[in-house]
Structure formats: C-alpha cells, structure tokens
Amino acid sequence: MDPLRNPYAPGAGTQPPELAGRDSLRESVRVAIGRIRAGRAAKSTVLTGLRGVGKTVLLDRLMLDAQAEGITTIRIEAPEGRSLPSILAPELRRTLLGLSRIEEAKDLAARAMRGLAGFLGTMRLVYHDVQLHFDAEPEPGLADNGDLEADLQALFEAVGEAARAARTAVVLFVDEMQYIETKQLGALITALHRIAQRGLPITLVGAGLPQLPARFGTAKSYAERLFDVATIGPLSQDDAVLAIREPAAEEGADIEPAALDRIYELTAGYPYFLQEWGKQSWDVARSSPIRLKDVEIASEVAVVTLDASFFHVRFDRLSPSEKLYLRAMADLGPGPHRSGDIAEGIGRDVRSVAPVRNNLISKGMVWSPSYGDTAFTVPLFDQFMRRIVPGDDWRP
C-alpha cells in the first residue's frame, strides 16, 4: 500500500497515531496537576518501565495535556554524565522569563531570577558543566550557599511563589531519571518535599527504568511518600489491537483478525514494537486488508530494522565482558534470572562478575527486580543476543 499514507510511527519518543491503554493514567495526572495549581496536596508522578513501553511518548503527551490547561511546563532529559543544575537551569530561566510577563508575578519572578543568578554562580564551581550566563544580579543569601540541597530548595520556593502569583503551576517533566546522580536526586526530592509542605504550585512528572523507585529510596528514605509510581507495561491484547487497527482504519484500510493476533504475539504488546510491525506490514501489503502472510513477510524486515537500530545501539556500548554476561543471561531465557545462574553460565564465581553486573545496571541494560535477581531492561533482548551471538562459541 501507499507508503506515504503509512500511519505508523516507530521511533524514539515519536507520538503514535493511537495512544491506546493510557487514558486512566492521563486523567489521574491531570487531576494531580489541577490540585497542585489550586494549592491542594497531590503527589508527584513517576512512570517506570522497560525500554519500548512508551514512557517518553506518554510523558510528552502528559505535558501536552498540561499545556492545554494553561500549565507552565519544563521538559528536560537527564543524560548520562550531565549534572542536574546544568540541564535544569536553562529551563528555569525560560520559565521565569515567561512568568515575568504576567503583571501579578513580575516582582516575584524577578526575585526568583536573582536567585537563579546566585545559584548558577555557585554551581559553576561545583559542577563544571554549568555554562549558562545572564545579566541578572544575584540576591545575596538567596540560593547561593554552594550546597545543592539547600540552594535548590530555596530556588524552587522562589519559583513557586512567582507561579502562585501568576495563578499557574510549574510542572517538571523529566525523562531518563535513573541517570541523575544519587546526591543530586536527593536534592531534587528535598526541594519537592519542601514545596509540598508549603503548598506551592510546583510538581514533577518523571520517567525512568524500573530501578528508579529503589534509587529514590536510596537518595531519601521518605521519597516513597512523595511519589505516585505508575508501572508502565506492555499493552493488553485489546489495546494492542486498537493501536494497530484504528490508524489503518483512519486511512481506509483494514487488517485481518489473524494478522492482528500474529502482530500481538510477535511484539508481546510492547508499543514500540507494535509501531514497527504495523509500519512494515503496511509497506509489504499490496492492498487492504493486511493479511497474515503480509505480517509474516514484514516480520523479517521488522527484526532486521530493530536489530540495526533499537537493539544494536545498546549492544555497541558494551564491553566484551558485559556482552558475555548478557549472552549468558540470554541463554537462560527472557528472565529474570538468579545472578548465580548467570555467573555459572560463563564459568565464573558470582562475586567475580558483580562489577560487570553493576556496570550493566549503571548503563541501564539490566536491573534487579528482587534481591539476587537480574532482568533485562530492554524487551526481547534475549532473542537479539541469541541472534547476534549464535551457537555456543561464546562460552569461555
């Protein structure tokens, strides 16, 4: 069929044509943000799940929902190796410039801007990747102590007061939160805690891998009381069918039930994979309806495409010892697996491979769903590892 009319959108964070199965979460976040704006208590929200479940897509849709309600939004991603102040400060400056245009908030926004100037001046000495410069004169004693936890709290309070005067709320949408260093994560949690105590209209909607809630607890023992954690998983079969069938129907095309069942079976309901199989099946089919045989042919192309992009980009970041560890994991199946069983698969003592496992956790490749267990953070990665490293020659 005509590739120009292909409705499916596989890609990193690309909005799908049909966001199925997430309506209840969107509504709960809408209510929480509305309560924060009104000065009422509500927890911040954190989305956790494996790669490919659509966390980034959902985070961006929640941000669009908030913007439609007149909410002031900040959108950042926490990459590896960057400090929280370096990625947060430019967006706070943009936010304060917007608030300063509102007459009722002008003076408080100017004060918060002076606080940001002092914050930047001290943080440059601590985190050398902070590069933002602007002309506002610091206000002595406001967010300039050089202690991230105290200064971020003071800065958030100043921003929150300006937002309250403007009758809006400031919502931080933060992706890849698992990469925020523990001490900096603790400072962010402390600032959000203080804001909640004062009833100021700032909240957070974050997203990260499944290990994120445990990292919150490590950073601050009270963190679990500040967040509603929503675990984002694969779609149910009904929602997966909706995500594939409805975009085709919008273009006047149909898909046979057997083809839909096969797509669900091959993708396990993971949204990223659904979009890839939908795209390839559309391109293979000569006419409507898309049939089972079209899906089978498309599967070969979909697997090659995913191997080259979604999987290989992660595989290429690994050291030889890390690849060996993951290949031993893959030999055991999807998981999770006992760490001792993985070590045994490569003929090593579990303690000797613990540093390799820790590196893989830091890189976001695996996580520990319970003590002593290890699981992939990337769905179907066991199948990829067996394709890319076939046979038994990998064994030491």
Side-chain angles (χ1 to χ4, degrees):
M1 294 191 290
D2 185 358
L4 291 177
R5 295 176 54 206
N6 192 323
Y8 303 103
T14 305
Q15 287 288 324
E18 177 69 32
L19 186 62
R22 311 304 192 199
D23 289 346
S24 62
L25 179 59
R26 290 173 67 185
E27 176 61 16
S28 67
V29 172
R30 186 193 69 81
V31 170
I33 292 174
R35 288 182 59 84
I36 292 291
R37 184 182 198 176
R40 298 185 174 92
K43 294 181 180 181
S44 294
T45 302
V46 173
L47 318 175
T48 68
L50 303 179
R51 302 287 187 190
V53 296
K55 299 184 300 298
T56 299
V57 164
L58 183 54
L59 189 73
D60 287 341
R61 185 63 63 90
L62 294 171
M63 183 178 70
L64 293 173
D65 291 345
Q67 290 171 347
E69 299 284 338
I71 300 296
T72 300
T73 62
I74 291 175
R75 174 67 163 88
I76 59 176
E77 180 177 320
E80 296 177 80
R82 290 279 303 278
S83 72
L84 180 63
S86 73
I87 58 176
L88 184 57
E91 289 301 310
L92 284 175
R93 178 178 181 272
R94 180 187 60 81
T95 296
L96 290 171
L97 287 173
L99 292 175
S100 68
R101 299 187 186 101
I102 300 172
E103 185 63 33
E104 295 84 352
K106 183 186 300 182
D107 292 341
L108 289 170
R111 180 174 184 269
M113 192 72 84
R114 295 193 296 272
L116 179 58
F119 177 80
L120 286 170
T122 56
M123 288 303 111
R124 284 194 196 99
L125 302 177
V126 181
Y127 304 101
H128 300 295
D129 60 344
V130 178
Q131 301 296 332
L132 182 64
H133 296 268
F134 60 100
D135 295 333
E137 286 294 325
E139 179 175 316
L142 178 59
D144 62 357
N145 294 316
D147 178 272
L148 180 61
E149 188 164 298
D151 289 349
L152 192 60
Q153 177 180 311
L155 182 58
F156 272 26
E157 287 185 79
V159 174
E161 288 167 353
R164 181 166 60 187
R167 298 179 182 176
T168 186
V170 174
V171 184
L172 282 73
F173 291 88
V174 187
D175 203 6
E176 302 286 9
M177 285 191 70
Q178 73 279 350
Y179 291 131
I180 301 177
E181 186 270 332
T182 301
K183 187 175 181 181
Q184 296 172 43
L185 184 61
L188 178 61
I189 293 169
T190 298
L192 291 169
H193 188 201
R194 180 57 179 158
I195 287 297
Q197 289 173 328
R198 289 201 53 197
L200 292 171
I202 297 181
T203 192
L204 177 142
V205 180
L209 293 175
Q211 62 263 39
L212 187 56
R215 295 209 57 237
F216 281 159
T218 301
K220 290 293 176 181
S221 59
Y222 56 79
E224 64 182 23
R225 288 171 280 164
L226 297 179
F227 298 96
D228 282 329
V229 177
T231 301
I232 309 301
L235 298 178
S236 68
Q237 184 161 2
D238 287 345
D239 287 332
V241 166
L242 186 68
I244 293 295
R245 187 182 59 208
E246 289 306 304
E250 288 289 324
E251 295 294 334
D254 197 8
I255 306 179
E256 288 184 343
L260 290 168
D261 290 344
R262 183 58 174 156
I263 290 175
Y264 180 74
E265 179 185 354
L266 291 165
T267 62
Y270 286 99
Y272 186 92
F273 301 153
L274 286 167
Q275 293 300 308
E276 189 64 58
W277 256 266
K279 176 185 183 300
Q280 302 301 342
S281 298
W282 176 284
D283 286 346
V284 163
R286 294 187 176 183
S287 62
S288 178
I290 297 172
R291 303 180 186 277
L292 177 59
K293 65 179 182 180
D294 299 321
V295 173
E296 298 293 0
I297 297 170
S299 295
E300 299 178 15
V301 182
V303 168
V304 170
T305 302
L306 288 170
D307 283 358
S309 56
F310 185 79
F311 293 123
H312 231 300
V313 69
R314 293 167 172 85
F315 180 81
D316 289 342
R317 298 173 61 232
L318 304 175
S319 69
S321 59
E322 291 164 353
K323 292 174 182 177
L324 181 62
Y325 190 93
L326 293 184
R327 182 59 181 85
M329 276 184 68
D331 211 46
L332 299 172
H337 305 296
R338 300 297 296 170
S339 299
D341 294 338
I342 302 168
E344 183 180 343
I346 51 179
R348 300 276 298 277
D349 178 82
V350 66
R351 288 171 295 183
S352 70
V353 296
V356 177
R357 179 177 182 267
N358 291 339
N359 287 341
L360 287 168
I361 290 174
S362 297
K363 290 181 177 181
M365 292 301 304
V366 302
W367 69 295
S368 180
S370 58
Y371 182 77
D373 283 347
T374 307
F376 292 106
T377 60
V378 183
L380 311 185
F381 203 76
D382 60 310
Q383 297 178 25
F384 166 74
M385 287 301 301
R386 292 195 296 272
R387 285 194 300 270
I388 200 72
V389 188
D392 289 322
D393 290 345
W394 58 272
R395 295 185 186 277

